């Protein structure tokens, strides 16, 4: 338990800080341009080091592991890594978050190696909006095709994450709800968050989750559903006609720090106890110097007192968050 009696249950591991998209709310081109220095190969945790980290977290109560990035499918040999992690006893739910650019090609291999499910990021149903947001001209159709391939490979239901930004893609809320209703896939609408220092976040850019649900409900009637497990980040709603469900992640307007059971490890092996943390602890240094990895994790978790979003919501102003989403992983 940490200082607020929160157990350690989920581990998110970023396997690369690189991405082939330049989403304006995450890795804007002006900052992550051609001259940007990403981590060098020897700075990244190796597959063996990642598996060792997973072992130690599982021994401390973690049963859900999510692989993220950067774009995790850019990491060479990702299928092999998935196989190594899924073989760790105690990993009950192994998932991965991806922009889906390489997913159609890799879904079969990922599923065969033990990946249970994927979450795919998609911010609109129309190319002009989606391409303006990913800023590399990537089309919606390729993401939709990858979702079908992933589902056919057995990774069902596919969760689809959409970040909603005021004045940019509010219309995507109803468009996406309409498109995915009845498909078995679950869209989760995420409030634009103030992670990192590069995305120019302002409270005015946030579309409150409640407003998103009202917009859907006006056209496609919804009712609230209780959460699947304590600490689930999405508030769930199902269609009254029984054709599936949607979720909203209201991390700005309704922070859920009180039930947060997540630890995050960056691609270079730094452990963070909050998405908005200003500092972390290098597990890579501990591993490479032959130190007591389990002991260090225990010590960090025992001292954990983060509740950034709750504090920010009482301030409503932006606070300084030095770690970028693309570095720590979403
Ligand atoms: N490249 C992968 C992808 O696109 O899903 C994984 C990494 S990405 C950082 C993980 C998730 O974080 C994505 O769903 C992305 O939309 C979300 N994200 C990034 N910046 C965000 C922000 N400022 N607010 C809310 N969500 C954000």
């Amino acid at each position: 338990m940490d200082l607020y009696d929160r157990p350690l249950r989920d581990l998110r591991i970023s396997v690369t800080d690189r991405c082939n998209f330049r989403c304006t709310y995450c890795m804007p081109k002006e900052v992550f341009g051609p001259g940007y220095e990403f981590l060098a190969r020897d700075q990244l945790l190796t597959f063996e080091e990642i598996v060792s980290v997973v072992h130690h977290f599982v021994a401390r109560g973690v049963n859900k592991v999510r692989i993220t990035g950067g774009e995790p499918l850019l990491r060479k040999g990702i299928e092999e890594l998935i196989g190594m992690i899924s073989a760790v006893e105690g990993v009950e739910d192994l998932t991965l978050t991806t922009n889906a650019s390489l997913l159609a090609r890799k879904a079969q291999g990922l599923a065969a190696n033990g990946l249970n499910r994927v979450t795919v990021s998609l911010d609109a149903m129309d190319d002009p909006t989606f391409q303006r947001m990913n800023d590399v001209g990537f089309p919606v159709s390729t993401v939709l095709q990858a979702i079908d391939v992933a589902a056919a490979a057995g990774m069902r239901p596919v969760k689809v994450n959409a970040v909603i930004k005021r004045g940019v893609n509010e219309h995507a809320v109803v468009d996406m709800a309409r498109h995915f209703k009845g498909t078995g896939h679950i869209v989760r609408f995420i409030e634009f968050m103030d992670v990192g220092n590069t995305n120019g976040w302002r409270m005015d850019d946030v579309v409150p989750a409640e407003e998103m649900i009202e917009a859907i409900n006006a056209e496609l009637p919804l009712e609230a559903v209780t959460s699947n497990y304590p600490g689930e980040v999405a508030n769930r709603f199902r269609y009254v006609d029984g054709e599936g469900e949607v979720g909203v992640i209201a991390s700005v307007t309704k922070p859920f720090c009180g039930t947060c059971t997540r630890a995050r490890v960056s691609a270079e092996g730094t452990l963070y106890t909050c998405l908005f943390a200003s500092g972390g602890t290098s597990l890579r240094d501990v591993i490479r110097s032959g130190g007591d990895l389990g002991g260090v994790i225990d010590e960090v978790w025992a001292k954990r007192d983060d509740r950034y979003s709750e504090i920010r919501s009482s301030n409503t102003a932006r606070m300084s968050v030095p770690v970028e989403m693309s570095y720590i992983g979403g």
Side-chain angles (χ1 to χ4, degrees):
M1 295 287 181
D2 69 6
L3 290 176
Y4 291 114
D5 285 337
R6 296 169 297 190
L8 176 53
R9 289 277 176 267
D10 319 62
L11 175 64
R12 300 189 167 218
I13 308 178
S14 168
V15 294
T16 177
D17 58 335
R18 290 166 200 261
C19 190
N20 50 349
F21 282 20
R22 285 294 174 272
C23 299
T24 51
Y25 56 79
C26 186
M27 287 182 85
K29 258 183 187 157
E30 307 75 56
V31 179
F32 296 88
Y36 187 84
E37 270 194 44
F38 289 98
L39 296 170
R41 202 173 171 79
D42 64 346
Q43 292 177 287
L44 301 179
L45 289 187
T46 64
F47 288 0
E48 288 72 21
E49 288 169 336
I50 292 173
V51 169
S52 170
V53 166
V54 171
H55 265 291
H56 281 90
F57 274 93
V58 167
R60 283 160 181 78
V62 163
N63 50 25
K64 286 179 64 180
V65 177
R66 176 171 294 277
I67 305 301
T68 179
E71 172 46 44
L73 300 188
L74 291 179
R75 179 82 187 245
K76 216 166 144 215
I78 184 73
E79 297 91 337
E80 186 194 340
L81 175 63
I82 292 295
M84 290 165 74
I85 298 175
S86 71
V88 174
E89 205 173 318
V91 174
E92 286 163 19
D93 192 20
L94 178 58
T95 61
L96 176 145
T97 306
T98 176
N99 62 24
S101 56
L102 301 170
L103 182 60
R105 211 181 306 162
K106 292 185 178 263
Q108 196 64 49
L110 292 166
N113 278 283
L115 188 66
N116 300 120
R117 282 179 298 105
V118 283
T119 297
V120 167
S121 301
L122 176 66
D123 300 323
M125 293 308 303
D126 62 291
D127 274 338
T129 308
F130 183 51
Q131 292 179 335
R132 202 175 323 122
M133 291 182 82
N134 66 51
D135 216 9
V136 292
F138 201 79
V140 174
S141 56
T142 311
V143 179
L144 296 180
Q145 189 209 346
I147 291 173
D148 289 343
V149 174
M155 297 186 287
R156 282 187 298 264
V158 175
K159 285 189 182 152
V160 181
N161 272 0
V163 176
I164 305 300
K165 205 174 160 188
R166 176 81 71 203
V168 178
N169 66 336
E170 288 145 294
H171 62 280
V173 173
V174 177
D175 285 359
M176 292 183 74
R178 215 184 281 130
H179 179 89
F180 287 103
K181 182 172 180 277
T183 61
H185 308 313
I186 302 172
V187 192
R188 294 163 351 144
F189 299 100
I190 307 177
E191 290 177 349
F192 175 44
M193 290 188 271
D194 50 334
V195 190
N197 281 318
T198 59
N199 66 11
W201 184 91
R202 294 175 315 135
M203 189 67 200
D204 293 352
D205 295 330
V206 178
V207 179
E210 210 174 305
E211 187 181 321
M212 303 187 209
I213 289 299
E214 274 165 20
I216 301 171
N217 185 51
E219 192 174 317
L220 310 164
L222 290 169
E223 58 193 10
V225 188
T226 49
S227 51
N228 283 321
Y229 51 88
E232 188 173 40
V233 296
N235 293 316
R236 299 166 58 210
F237 296 82
R238 70 173 155 239
Y239 294 109
V240 172
D241 65 7
E243 289 215 316
E245 67 175 75
V246 292
V248 278
I249 301 181
S251 40
V252 178
T253 59
K254 288 205 182 99
F256 35 81
C257 306
T259 55
C260 178
T261 55
R262 273 170 292 283
R264 298 167 191 273
V265 175
S266 74
E268 57 178 334
T270 305
L271 168 61
Y272 293 92
T273 52
C274 176
L275 183 53
F276 302 93
S278 52
T281 304
S282 176
L283 301 183
R284 188 188 64 196
D285 289 353
V286 178
I287 296 172
R288 294 188 187 172
S289 64
D292 173 13
L293 187 53
V296 170
I297 297 169
D298 285 339
E299 212 174 294
V300 170
W301 196 262
K303 285 196 202 133
R304 179 182 190 242
D305 64 354
D306 310 85
R307 43 187 294 270
Y308 171 91
S309 294
E310 286 178 356
I311 298 169
R312 189 248 294 100
S313 89
S314 56
N315 282 340
T316 67
R318 184 184 185 117
M319 307 193 305
S320 174
V321 181
V323 182
E324 297 297 325
M325 186 75 121
S326 54
Y327 170 81
I328 197 171

